[in-house]
Amino acid sequence: MIEEVWYMQKFLLLNGPNLNFLGKREPEIYGTTTLSELEESIIKVGQQLGVEVECFQSNVEGEIINRIYKAYEDGVEGIIINPGGYTHTSIAIHDCVSSVLIPVIEVHISNIHAREEFRHKSIISSATAGQIIGFGIYGYELALQALINILKGE
Amino acid sequence: MIEEVWYMQKFLLLNGPNLNFLGKREPEIYGTTTLSELEESIIKVGQQLGVEVECFQSNVEGEIINRIYKAYEDGVEGIIINPGGYTHTSIAIHDCVSSVLIPVIEVHISNIHAREEFRHKSIISSATAGQIIGFGIYGYELALQALINILKGE
Amino acid sequence: MIEEVWYMQKFLLLNGPNLNFLGKREPEIYGTTTLSELEESIIKVGQQLGVEVECFQSNVEGEIINRIYKAYEDGVEGIIINPGGYTHTSIAIHDCVSSVLIPVIEVHISNIHAREEFRHKSIISSATAGQIIGFGIYGYELALQALINILKGE
Amino acid sequence: MIEEVWYMQKFLLLNGPNLNFLGKREPEIYGTTTLSELEESIIKVGQQLGVEVECFQSNVEGEIINRIYKAYEDGVEGIIINPGGYTHTSIAIHDCVSSVLIPVIEVHISNIHAREEFRHKSIISSATAGQIIGFGIYGYELALQALINILKGE
Amino acid sequence: MIEEVWYMQKFLLLNGPNLNFLGKREPEIYGTTTLSELEESIIKVGQQLGVEVECFQSNVEGEIINRIYKAYEDGVEGIIINPGGYTHTSIAIHDCVSSVLIPVIEVHISNIHAREEFRHKSIISSATAGQIIGFGIYGYELALQALINILKGE
Amino acid sequence: MIEEVWYMQKFLLLNGPNLNFLGKREPEIYGTTTLSELEESIIKVGQQLGVEVECFQSNVEGEIINRIYKAYEDGVEGIIINPGGYTHTSIAIHDCVSSVLIPVIEVHISNIHAREEFRHKSIISSATAGQIIGFGIYGYELALQALINILKGE
Amino acid sequence: MIEEVWYMQKFLLLNGPNLNFLGKREPEIYGTTTLSELEESIIKVGQQLGVEVECFQSNVEGEIINRIYKAYEDGVEGIIINPGGYTHTSIAIHDCVSSVLIPVIEVHISNIHAREEFRHKSIISSATAGQIIGFGIYGYELALQALINILKGE
Amino acid sequence: MIEEVWYMQKFLLLNGPNLNFLGKREPEIYGTTTLSELEESIIKVGQQLGVEVECFQSNVEGEIINRIYKAYEDGVEGIIINPGGYTHTSIAIHDCVSSVLIPVIEVHISNIHAREEFRHKSIISSATAGQIIGFGIYGYELALQALINILKGE
Amino acid sequence: MIEEVWYMQKFLLLNGPNLNFLGKREPEIYGTTTLSELEESIIKVGQQLGVEVECFQSNVEGEIINRIYKAYEDGVEGIIINPGGYTHTSIAIHDCVSSVLIPVIEVHISNIHAREEFRHKSIISSATAGQIIGFGIYGYELALQALINILKGE
Amino acid sequence: MIEEVWYMQKFLLLNGPNLNFLGKREPEIYGTTTLSELEESIIKVGQQLGVEVECFQSNVEGEIINRIYKAYEDGVEGIIINPGGYTHTSIAIHDCVSSVLIPVIEVHISNIHAREEFRHKSIISSATAGQIIGFGIYGYELALQALINILKGE
Amino acid sequence: MIEEVWYMQKFLLLNGPNLNFLGKREPEIYGTTTLSELEESIIKVGQQLGVEVECFQSNVEGEIINRIYKAYEDGVEGIIINPGGYTHTSIAIHDCVSSVLIPVIEVHISNIHAREEFRHKSIISSATAGQIIGFGIYGYELALQALINILKGE
Amino acid sequence: MIEEVWYMQKFLLLNGPNLNFLGKREPEIYGTTTLSELEESIIKVGQQLGVEVECFQSNVEGEIINRIYKAYEDGVEGIIINPGGYTHTSIAIHDCVSSVLIPVIEVHISNIHAREEFRHKSIISSATAGQIIGFGIYGYELALQALINILKGE
């Protein structure tokens, strides 16, 4: 749809702890797609929608924060984040998300509200633009569309 | 994309209490689109995606439940629900959603996690397929896509 | 046992939200008897025990309250109620039950204490005469006997 | 005091669940005045103060919401509400009250803070202009004066 | 109804702490029937229904557990238990009830939900088949019928 | 209305901590009327209604208690109290209010339920006759009427 | 003081779990007097005050209950109890104490409020006449006087 | 018993808020003895036991603290305190009691554990030597003996 | 390894409620070894390690306490305890364990942290030397080694 | 540094309950400096920094409030407060601090977060400019510097 | 015991934050053995038991997760983990442990249940095979045996 | 003031997550000074006070711990830490701070008690020497003085 080759919005796809293991175990919860397959697929969908998607995964809370500040420095305009287990504990990521001006969308592959009690509450949500939860890896694609929609609205 | 004119999936768009007032007050939270504009726009998007969307709004908890059972009787294959204030209190809607076999997607226009404490917890989420929160009325469109994606996967 | 044909006690059997769906889904929890089969069977047992049982089901909290006041107007002498999901949230039904003088018995088909945490506490119990929980639809029959026993004691 | 016959402010007196039973039971808590006597008396006091009072009672949460929106459409300028048992549970009524611009005054006949623990907290209060609690049905009359006073101040 | 004299189901009626004092004090809560009168009456009703009821009372938590295991060894097929004050504290009785395969029905003479807060929650309920609460000593008779009904269903 | 000059009911208007500063700061919460203006106005309204109003303000919890006992000694027949910050913490004032037989009405200028969480709960309310909350200083006038109404009813 | 040899009030001194070990360990908390020394000393003080004190210690919750009922049968007129660790958990002892008509005084040797959090709350206190806490074994002697004082007052 | 006329231990009897009203209201809770009668009686018992008892009552939290420091300056060797409503809220009195080296005994006339929930917990107890609760005004006499016993033991 | 026949350390293996049923039911949680097989096997391992192991099981909380004091009298030098359901409720056993000087090791056959919420917290752990949890009956053998290791270190 | 002799900022040093006892007891927590030594030292440091420091201590909550309002009347420009035990309970002081416009700094001598749980939370902090905690009486000197720094910044 | 030289099971010993400081401070809690001494000793015990133990310590939560995944890639068959301070907060480590199939044993050197409240609860335990707590560094050796026992059982 | 050039105390200034972004966003909360400006200014103030200040910032929890241990190895004598978002969650940093012997002062730029609820509680405070909160970046300078004062006192 968008053809302006000389300029492309940059997005960041950020996956948190244990998502490196995606598709390798517990397929009944997370499906069988691996992280690199997921990243490739989102990059491709991004290309179709006219945005460039960079991908990053880390198990280290502080590296996720570092990567968000790097994105800010690089002029990234939107972030999709699946904070994994840090969703429920990280005030530091919350503060980072709320201090950069970039819209951030929180994605969860599984329906966290149908799992253990300690997964129901997200510390990060209040700092994000919105959340997409429970749609498997398709949720990342929805997030991409949502980001584009938000940026159009600005 | 889908041309099978002789058969069309039916979806139900269900809005709960106070959504009749959409677009009339508190535009900083809910935007300026009215409920009927929203419903028309979702019906139109549905047509483009090859699904027929019926719309219903009620302020009465039990009528929402009645409508879901009617949808079940009518062969509706997917439901998008914004349960409004019942989100946080209705075990009855939760039980209804979990007893019909139809996939249900929960939508919230605003980011409920960035508002009052009592809006953070949804009683209904554990019975739904997934949630889309904070993207304004565009969230309903994302829900439509998510529903189609879920049904494709079955 | 009771032959006084010229006078019969009237009882009300009141089923709350989602019990219209009884026997249609989740048979491992609720069994396979449908609501109308249940109602017919309780009416018949009532006839054998010499009481006339009226039946009512609604998904609307306020209609349940309305029906209880109607029962009061009609001279109903005992009520069997399965408040469904309103069991855990409805102060309004609690107040209604405690304001009419009719003895009310609370029935739950499944053992609510062996299910999710949010089903363990009943708001309504403190206003009822007693509770019968976990015996499937046979619990309604026990409730009928209990009601007759209570009225005998007065 | 006010004689402008050609124009009269319209107020709505809204009573919630179980207030249809007012004066019929538990007189030690609620007194012996019936609902229709209360409504007539408030209408009459309203006439003396130069306002027209419409009255409505419902046991159905959603109908109370519907009635408030109808009042908004009808140009009602002030609302007196006794939300009964919904006081403590209804986020939906709270949202409705805070979305219409009309000043709303919450009345409780009995001193809810001297009764059961679950009656101490009102979900609705934060959206109302003020509360009058514990003065029997005379509280409605005070509310009427308070409404007039608020509207004078605007 | 059941005439197979050469074989009779054995049931156990188990009363917990302070039920030895039944009928001696606090008749407004527990009535005036003494424990031995209760036991005799349940034995007699059992005979009419074709089951043999053994009775046991103890104030000692561990003796109640011992008695349940003895019942298991003796081929007892159903247990009626009023765990008294241990209802609210005994994980040990809970574990015992859930480890023997015999269906167990929990009875409370008074409506525990209309009494002190600390009596509202039962630790044992989740391990029982069902509960009968608030019908005075008649509740034991209902429990007997419920047990027979459960065993018929197996 | 009341002209019996030879006898006049005495009321006490009691203001707690920080109300000495009324009208000097935070007018968006408390308005611009000062404490002495408020007291004068209530004295004047009292005269019109045929009661004599004494006024007292203190920042000291124990002096408020002392003043209530003095009122009791003096034959004061009704008390209007705004306990300020002691509303939420003072069991001692609660006990004092419940030990004298004089009807006490609690007034709050602002709607405490729309402010910080720690202002929502009043320790004192359960000992008062009723509460009037959120009507600015007009609430004191309503309280005066309510007191007279209560005393008429005795 | 009291010389009526032909009749003497009987009291029961009841010590709960671990008090058999009194004086053997942890003297900084419980002192160095052993249980039998304590019992002898209380019996002797009892004789001086004209009452006969029977003593009993058990580590078994149910035996404590049994002993209280035995005391009731024996015409014991007052009970001094140190429920040890059952203080904080035993609803069964609470119920027993509140069902016999005998005044019961609760004694704790150490100041339980200056120890671990879980020792601060007594389940039993609400059923006793009073508590004497923190005075070492001298507390038992105070309890004896208090019992006599209570019985004089009846 | 003690005759050393040339030296007498000084004790302080300290009564907190609302105890000035003792014997004037709520006799079912607090009895009919007035504060001055109580003080005189304790002074007299003190004389018999060879101690001089000073008495003080205040409704002001800080004056109670001031009085304790004055007692410390005056060489008072033991304090009996009934902190009234400050029992449950005053960290300041707690700190004062724990900072002077004088043994302090806490007395409550009624059994606070058989009253409202908010009276069950004492903030002050952990700083006192012990507590005597529920024995009416006789509890003060027991406290006097306990103080003498404590001082003997030092 | 240890041959000093003329002297052998004595240990006590103490099993609490429901462990008499070990190996008879719920093998997926507790395995198929019966209690007597377990006891024999631990006695044998004890012999190999040069310690004499006595075994005791009881369903009665107080008998477990009695047995610990008996062990103390008998010169037992180490205790292995599986307190069963009393793990989560028994302050009395906690106090007993902390009053005898013998090192006590707490064993749980299953991983209690992967089961119901109410099994996660042990009241007794703070008084024990250590805990071994989740290794089936092999955990008892580990406990035996741990005890020997602790005693070596003294 | 500041030489404008003809004008000097006035500060208030306010110490709450029990600080009159500073240096007299518990030196391991509060050190050995007495209150008057502290006040003199802060006055002297103030003179060096060019500000005049008035000092006040009271054990009475309301007198602290009175003193703050007096400071406001007197043109005091900064307040250093150690609210002692009122830190954790006084909404009244909180309200006072937030209603006067003067910057207030909260000082605690000891590290309240390393002491009892009930000292961890300050009710007053949210109304102050900042807090200095744990530095002994040197904290007051730091507070003086901080106040000057704040006033420079305005 | 095991001689199959051509194949050896690999285990991972994983120590979390602050365990690098082992033996350097707080010997009363953690003993005097340093981390490298501990690691060497466990490697040696491993060799005797026929397993190869790799060792790793990190203060970084995410590096611990990375190391577990590396172990999974390397075919490690058992993990011993002391998660240090992350025990009580890390959902990310919990998720990692539950996603790899390797049995994991949690070790704590000190008895965490006898220390501060915040150390009592482990987030990680529910995902581990078992826990060994309170036996000093000997606990690691027990864990080694437990791991071998678990693997034998598979 | 201090000229001993041949020896200088070393201090460490440690900033946690998101403080790299200081001065770049949210100036109303954190001011406009950047991190490197802050560090330079503290180094300079340190030089004036005769101490050498090293600076370090990291978003990674474990790197902060590593840096503290490095400081310990390097002979650093005092630490100033702003733990950012880890303040409220990091038991690991708490344990690290309490295990090194170096005095640590906690600084927060903003008044965390006037912000979101989740920022009110610090996990780390109980292990630090003291806290300085709410004075902007000037708080770091106060901390420097406090550190020097503490070290003087040793």
Side-chain angles (χ1 to χ4, degrees), chain E residues 44-144:
Chain E
K44 198 180 303 169
V45 176
Q47 285 168 338
Q48 291 163 358
L49 296 171
V51 294
E52 185 188 336
V53 181
E54 296 170 359
C55 298
F56 183 76
Q57 188 274 338
S58 176
N59 292 324
V60 181
E61 188 177 4
E63 286 179 3
I64 293 169
I65 296 171
N66 287 341
R67 192 62 189 80
I68 293 173
Y69 285 119
K70 183 176 178 310
Y72 175 85
E73 306 292 330
D74 294 353
V76 163
E77 292 180 53
I79 297 176
I80 296 165
I81 188 168
N82 179 341
Y86 295 138
T87 302
H88 319 292
T89 60
S90 180
I91 293 174
I93 296 179
H94 168 277
D95 288 358
C96 175
V97 166
S98 72
S99 79
V100 297
L101 271 183
I102 308 165
V104 175
I105 295 183
E106 186 180 340
V107 172
H108 296 285
I109 292 171
S110 63
N111 182 358
I112 54 179
H113 299 102
R115 299 178 65 194
E116 305 96 318
E117 178 74 22
F118 64 76
R119 291 195 209 279
H120 295 192
K121 191 181 172 100
S122 166
I123 295 288
I124 291 166
S125 289
S126 67
T128 61
Q131 303 93 46
I132 291 174
I133 300 167
F135 302 107
I137 61 161
Y138 183 67
Y140 291 94
E141 196 175 323
L142 293 171
L144 208 56

Side-chain angles (χ1 to χ4, degrees), chain B residues 96-115:
Chain B
C96 175
V97 166
S98 71
S99 78
V100 295
L101 271 183
I102 308 164
V104 175
I105 295 182
E106 187 181 340
V107 172
H108 297 283
I109 292 171
S110 63
N111 182 358
I112 54 178
H113 300 101
R115 298 179 65 194

Side-chain angles (χ1 to χ4, degrees), chain B residues 60-63 65-66 69 72-73 89-101 126, chain C residues 17-21 24-26 30 58-61 63 84-86 88-89 115-116 118-119:
Chain B
V60 181
E61 188 178 3
E63 286 179 3
I65 295 170
N66 288 340
Y69 285 118
Y72 175 86
E73 306 292 331
T89 60
S90 181
I91 293 174
I93 295 179
H94 168 277
D95 288 357
C96 175
V97 166
S98 71
S99 78
V100 295
L101 271 183
S126 66
Chain C
N18 300 304
L19 286 154
N20 54 312
F21 218 55
K24 302 196 175 163
R25 289 287 321 283
E26 302 180 283
Y30 299 107
S58 175
N59 293 324
V60 180
E61 187 178 5
E63 285 179 3
Y86 295 138
H88 319 292
T89 60
R115 298 179 66 194
E116 303 96 319
F118 65 76
R119 291 196 207 279

Side-chain angles (χ1 to χ4, degrees), chain H residues 54-143:
Chain H
E54 296 171 0
C55 298
F56 183 75
Q57 189 274 339
S58 177
N59 293 324
V60 180
E61 187 177 5
E63 285 179 5
I64 293 169
I65 296 171
N66 287 341
R67 192 61 189 79
I68 293 173
Y69 285 119
K70 183 177 177 308
Y72 175 87
E73 306 290 332
D74 294 353
V76 163
E77 292 178 57
I79 297 176
I80 295 165
I81 188 169
N82 179 340
Y86 295 138
T87 302
H88 319 292
T89 59
S90 182
I91 292 174
I93 295 179
H94 167 278
D95 288 358
C96 174
V97 166
S98 71
S99 79
V100 297
L101 270 183
I102 309 165
V104 176
I105 295 182
E106 186 181 340
V107 172
H108 297 284
I109 293 170
S110 64
N111 182 359
I112 54 178
H113 299 101
R115 298 178 64 195
E116 304 95 319
E117 177 74 23
F118 66 75
R119 292 195 207 278
H120 294 192
K121 189 180 172 102
S122 165
I123 295 289
I124 292 165
S125 288
S126 66
T128 61
Q131 304 95 45
I132 291 173
I133 301 166
F135 302 106
I137 62 161
Y138 183 67
Y140 290 94
E141 195 174 325
L142 292 172

Side-chain angles (χ1 to χ4, degrees), chain G residues 29-100:
Chain G
I29 303 180
Y30 299 107
T32 56
T33 311
T34 63
L35 179 62
S36 56
E37 289 166 4
L38 162 65
E39 291 177 343
E40 278 163 36
S41 122
I42 293 300
I43 287 168
K44 198 180 301 170
V45 175
Q47 286 169 338
Q48 290 163 0
L49 296 171
V51 294
E52 185 188 337
V53 180
E54 294 172 0
C55 297
F56 183 76
Q57 188 274 338
S58 177
N59 293 324
V60 180
E61 188 177 4
E63 286 179 3
I64 293 169
I65 296 171
N66 287 341
R67 191 62 189 78
I68 293 173
Y69 284 118
K70 184 178 177 308
Y72 175 86
E73 305 293 330
D74 294 354
V76 163
E77 292 180 55
I79 297 177
I80 295 165
I81 188 168
N82 180 340
Y86 295 138
T87 301
H88 319 293
T89 60
S90 181
I91 292 174
I93 296 179
H94 168 278
D95 287 359
C96 175
V97 166
S98 72
S99 80
V100 296

Side-chain angles (χ1 to χ4, degrees), chain I residues 136-152:
Chain I
I137 61 160
Y138 183 67
Y140 290 94
E141 196 174 323
L142 293 171
L144 207 56
Q145 294 184 50
L147 259 184
I148 290 170
N149 187 269
I150 286 170
L151 291 168
K152 259 195 300 204

Side-chain angles (χ1 to χ4, degrees), chain L residues 8-9 43 64 71 75 81 93 96 109-110 125 142 146-148 152:
Chain L
M8 242 191 177
Q9 284 185 316
I43 287 168
I64 293 169
I81 189 169
I93 295 179
C96 174
I109 293 170
S110 63
S125 289
L142 292 172
L147 258 184
I148 289 169
K152 257 194 301 204

